[in-house]
């Protein structure tokens, strides 16, 4: 592959930017604090129970809040629940809600949570995250239509007391309750307006901000919610979230002062950014894994474990992380990232992890030969991906690695929302994606491959022995014993090469030094209620 031909357009873009006039930034009302926020992609929805992507969660997590929320360092703290207690067996949790209101002034009650959990489990809601609520007693049965909604383990004892009964002990529940799938929704609005409740003018939120406008392709604007219970401690008055799919253009906009933050940058530009914009680049190890999924449902070749192992073994992960991306990413031979809470210190790895790249290529060729592929009958496949610069570089490297073992590879790039819609519909052969932990526990990764997970189990991996190990871990109250069981599940999945782990992600953001309150953290959650933008007068003082 020819790197100069890839880099030349980027240099041209930056050269053009240098000739342009000063920053184009919307005016901020006198006496207010405004934040211009680059957020990678255009959200498809702001409904917390129909959302799918991290970039949507950035906006939804500023508009809404759950029983718990993210502290500046990403750890769970009380939010709509002031406090809670748990029965000794860990199965019944009682949450005491604070006195809080929706943005229209209506009180937030325990019934709003019960309604939300029943709603996310309705098939017509089509929530990709419904499986997370299977943790509540009878959640899976309600979702399958085998139990009435009233059988769900969520009960409003009174207006401000919510009782959750679980299928199994879950000491990580405060982490999970930060997730948007467990947010309440305003029953009094949703039942009246249906899907239109998420439109500007209709949207009623529970968190520090309220929706003002959504100019498709331009920005989403929110303003501070004066009815938020902690509004006096919220600094920023107005936030505009911009879709910034072109990382280099976003970098230019941050440098020019048009954007205060962008939640990403092109990895291989880190050194240059540190030279030209010192103090802006923020990197931190992430609870996230970039991986490839096989469409085993419609591509017969991928049902052969020899083919899956060959393709995984043939990827030069060290070249991708150290030579192409160069921002601290780590080669991945497992799915659960290092540093994940409640897990074994040294987890399992793919069977070929200890081999040199040359030996892995030789293994891959031999496995393909055993599976019936070779010069006279080459394996042909297509990789479908999003169109970010990092993904483009990575996929071109993987394409070259696979071509080196005799595989014919085509690349199909799409805008991120289109790519993930295709993945959900199984309209792909091999898909490239990253999984960012919904909560800090190995289950958020390993549960993706449970046969009951649904759409997010993109490769349709199904192994009763794997499911049984997850069930065994779920019933184990001792965290160390549970971690060992989960490690056995991951080892089984890796032995079968159910997916291809490529690298462990590094969080990357550009943050203007005048923005205060940004705390780098492994979860990569940065709620805007903790941020503030210092004016020149603030800096002088």
């Amino acid at each position: 592959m020819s790197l100069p031909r890839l880099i030349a357009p980027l240099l041209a873009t930056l050269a053009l930017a240098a000739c342009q006039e000063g920053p184009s930034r919307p005016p901020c009302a006198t006496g207010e604090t405004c934040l211009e926020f680059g957020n990678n992609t255009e959200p498809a929805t702001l409904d917390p129970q129909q959302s799918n992507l991290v970039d949507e969660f950035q906006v939804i997590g500023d508009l809404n809040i759950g029983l718990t929320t993210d502290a500046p360092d990403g750890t769970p703290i009380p939010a709509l629940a002031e406090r809670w207690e748990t029965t000794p067996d860990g199965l019944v949790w009682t949450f005491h809600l604070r006195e809080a209101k929706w943005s229209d002034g209506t009180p937030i009650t325990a019934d709003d949570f019960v309604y939300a959990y029943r709603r996310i489990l309705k098939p017509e809601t089509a929530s990709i995250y419904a499986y997370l609520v299977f943790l509540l007693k009878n959640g899976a049965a309600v979702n399958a239509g085998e139990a009435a909604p009233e059988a769900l383990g969520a009960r409003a004892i009174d207006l401000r007391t919510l009782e959750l009964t679980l299928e199994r002990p879950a000491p990580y529940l405060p982490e999970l309750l930060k997730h948007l799938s467990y947010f309440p929704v305003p029953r009094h609005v949703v039942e009246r307006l249906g899907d239109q409740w998420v439109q500007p003018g209709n949207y009623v939120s529970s968190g520090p901000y309220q929706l003002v406008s959504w100019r498709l392709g331009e920005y989403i604007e929110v303003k501070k919610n004066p009815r938020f219970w902690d509004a006096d401690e919220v600094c920023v008055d107005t936030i505009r979230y911009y879709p910034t799919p072109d990382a280099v253009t976003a970098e230019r906009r941050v440098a020019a002062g048009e954007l205060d933050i962008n939640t990403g940058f092109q990895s291989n530009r880190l050194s240059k950014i540190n030279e030209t914009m010192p103090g802006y680049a923020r990197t931190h190890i992430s609870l996230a894994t970039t991986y490839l999924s096989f469409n085993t449902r419609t591509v017969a070749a991928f049902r052969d474990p020899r083919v899956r192992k060959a393709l995984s073994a043939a990827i030069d992960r060290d070249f991708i992380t150290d030579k192409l991306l160069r921002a601290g990413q780590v080669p991945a031979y497992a799915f659960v990232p290092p540093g994940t809470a409640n897990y074994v210190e040294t987890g399992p790895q793919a069977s070929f992890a200890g081999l040199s790249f040359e030996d892995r290529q030789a293994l891959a060729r031999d496995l393909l030969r055993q599976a019936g592929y070779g010069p006279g009958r080459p394996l042909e496949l297509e990789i479908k991906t999003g169109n970010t610069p990092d993904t483009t570089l990575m996929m071109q490297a993987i394409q070259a690695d696979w071509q080196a073992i005799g595989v014919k590879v085509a690349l199909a790039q799409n805008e991120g929302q289109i790519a993930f819609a295709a993945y959900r519909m199984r309209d792909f052969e091999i898909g490239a994606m990253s999984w960012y932990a919904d909560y800090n526990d190995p289950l958020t990764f390993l549960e993706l491959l449970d046969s009951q997970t649904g759409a997010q189990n993109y490769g349709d991996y199904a192994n009763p022995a794997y499911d049984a190990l997850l069930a065994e871990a779920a019933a184990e109250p001792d965290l160390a014993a549970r971690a060992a069981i989960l490690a056995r599940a991951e080892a089984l999945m890796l032995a079968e090469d159910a997916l291809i782990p490529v690298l462990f992600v590094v969080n990357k953001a550009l943050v203007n030094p005048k923005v205060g309150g940004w705390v780098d953290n492994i979860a990569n959650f940065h709620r805007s209620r903790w941020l503030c933008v210092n004016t020149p007068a603030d800096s002088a003082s």
Side-chain angles (χ1 to χ4, degrees):
M1 97 191 70
S2 175
L3 289 181
R5 284 194 294 173
L6 290 171
I7 293 172
L10 305 183
L11 295 177
T13 300
L14 291 177
L16 176 63
C19 299
Q20 293 179 344
E21 297 180 357
S24 172
R25 184 182 175 104
C28 188
T30 302
E32 289 196 354
T33 300
C34 299
L35 183 69
E36 310 301 323
F37 199 118
N39 193 41
N40 293 324
T41 61
E42 182 84 55
T45 181
L46 295 180
D47 188 327
Q49 297 181 328
Q50 293 182 323
S51 172
N52 176 38
L53 301 179
V54 171
D55 297 334
E56 294 169 345
F57 194 12
Q58 179 63 54
V59 184
I60 295 171
D62 285 343
L63 290 168
N64 295 285
I65 205 162
L67 293 166
T68 62
T69 191
D70 300 286
D73 65 359
T75 57
I77 57 173
L80 289 176
E82 289 185 303
R83 57 187 174 85
W84 53 85
E85 61 263 0
T86 313
T87 53
D89 62 7
L91 292 178
V92 181
W93 295 61
T94 304
F95 295 88
H96 304 277
L97 307 185
R98 69 176 70 249
E99 210 167 319
K101 295 181 179 179
W102 294 100
S103 58
D104 65 355
T106 304
I108 298 174
T109 69
D111 184 63
D112 291 318
F113 288 90
V114 175
Y115 175 76
Y117 302 159
R118 292 178 181 177
R119 177 178 182 257
I120 196 172
L121 292 171
K122 288 182 177 180
E124 54 265 38
T125 302
S127 174
I128 203 166
Y129 271 121
Y131 73 91
L132 284 184
V133 187
F134 291 0
L135 178 63
L136 299 185
K137 189 171 182 62
N138 296 321
V142 170
N143 182 244
E146 297 168 358
E150 294 75 18
L152 185 66
R155 182 168 71 99
I157 295 177
D158 56 41
L159 289 178
R160 289 172 53 195
T161 310
L162 174 69
E163 180 186 87
L164 299 182
T165 302
L166 311 185
E167 286 282 358
R168 57 186 184 271
Y172 56 86
L173 185 63
E175 273 274 353
L176 182 58
L177 294 176
K178 299 186 305 175
H179 192 262
L180 46 71
S181 59
Y182 279 89
F183 285 179
V185 295
R187 179 175 187 169
H188 65 289
V189 178
V190 177
E191 290 195 335
R192 179 168 56 88
L193 298 176
D195 290 341
Q196 296 303 306
W197 84 273
V198 295
Q199 298 301 315
N202 297 339
Y203 202 99
V204 174
S205 54
S206 59
Y209 292 92
Q210 53 190 345
L211 181 64
V212 174
S213 64
W214 186 349
R215 300 176 64 171
L216 197 65
E218 295 186 44
Y219 60 77
I220 294 170
E221 183 175 350
V222 304
K223 288 189 178 291
K224 186 161 71 170
N225 174 13
R227 294 189 172 95
F228 179 55
W229 57 270
D230 201 26
D232 290 345
E233 299 301 318
V234 177
C235 172
V236 176
D237 299 286
T238 300
I239 310 171
R240 281 172 283 264
Y241 308 89
Y242 300 84
T244 53
D246 186 326
V248 176
T249 300
E251 177 189 327
R252 172 185 63 79
R253 295 181 68 188
V254 173
E258 295 179 17
L259 298 177
D260 300 309
I261 293 170
N262 194 65
T263 51
F265 58 82
Q266 189 166 313
S267 288
N268 61 9
R269 288 192 53 78
L270 177 58
S271 296
K272 186 65 175 178
I273 291 169
N274 284 335
E275 288 178 13
T276 60
M277 302 166 60
Y280 278 74
R282 307 292 289 263
T283 61
H284 192 278
I285 190 67
S286 180
L287 282 180
T289 305
T290 293
Y291 67 104
L292 305 179
S293 278
F294 301 101
N295 184 347
T296 58
R297 182 184 299 183
T298 57
V299 183
F302 298 151
R303 297 179 203 132
D304 189 327
R306 296 169 298 187
V307 172
R308 300 196 301 266
K309 188 178 295 293
L311 293 174
S312 185
I315 295 175
D316 191 346
R317 294 160 173 83
D318 293 285
F319 176 79
I320 291 170
T321 58
D322 300 346
K323 304 297 183 183
L324 282 185
L325 303 182
R326 308 195 305 270
Q329 293 90 347
V330 177
Y333 297 93
F335 193 39
V336 179
T340 303
N342 308 322
Y343 204 42
V344 294
E345 186 172 344
T346 302
Q349 291 192 318
S351 59
F352 49 79
L355 299 178
S356 68
F357 178 57
E358 291 73 19
D359 287 344
R360 296 206 309 271
Q361 283 186 309
L363 171 65
R365 292 188 184 96
D366 185 53
L367 288 168
L368 288 178
R369 181 188 56 76
Q370 293 178 33
Y373 298 99
R377 185 191 174 220
L379 176 65
E380 299 184 24
L381 57 86
E382 178 187 84
I383 309 173
K384 183 167 287 187
T385 75
N387 58 0
T388 65
D390 281 5
T391 302
T392 297
L393 289 174
M394 181 171 59
M395 290 306 110
Q396 288 176 338
I398 291 173
Q399 180 185 40
D401 289 338
W402 286 351
Q403 287 173 337
I405 60 169
V407 179
K408 291 187 176 181
V409 186
L411 296 180
Q413 289 188 301
N414 298 269
E415 191 276 327
Q417 288 284 5
I418 295 173
F420 274 90
Y423 300 158
R424 291 192 294 273
M425 297 296 292
R426 303 306 190 255
D427 179 21
F428 72 100
E429 294 182 3
I430 287 184
M433 59 277 293
S434 294
W435 182 256
Y436 287 78
D438 290 322
Y439 51 97
N440 192 354
D441 188 89
L443 195 61
T444 187
F445 292 92
L446 301 179
E447 195 172 30
L448 284 177
L449 292 117
D450 189 297
S451 62
Q452 293 190 66
T453 290
Q456 286 183 314
N457 182 359
Y458 297 115
D460 291 305
Y461 178 68
N463 184 331
Y466 182 86
D467 292 353
L469 285 169
L470 294 190
E472 182 183 349
E476 176 53 67
D478 181 84
L479 284 178
R482 172 181 179 269
I485 298 167
L486 290 174
R488 287 166 52 201
E490 184 178 17
L492 174 59
M493 177 271 290
L494 292 172
E496 296 188 322
D497 297 281
L499 48 73
I500 300 178
V502 178
L503 59 85
F504 296 123
V505 175
V506 168
N507 298 328
K508 309 187 305 294
L510 295 177
V511 182
N512 191 311
K514 72 179 182 180
V515 176
W518 182 282
V519 179
D520 296 319
N521 64 79
I522 195 170
N524 200 30
F525 291 138
H526 305 277
R527 300 303 168 211
S528 297
R529 65 180 286 205
W530 307 120
L531 304 181
C532 202
V533 183
N534 298 318
T535 65
D538 294 330
S539 301
S541 63

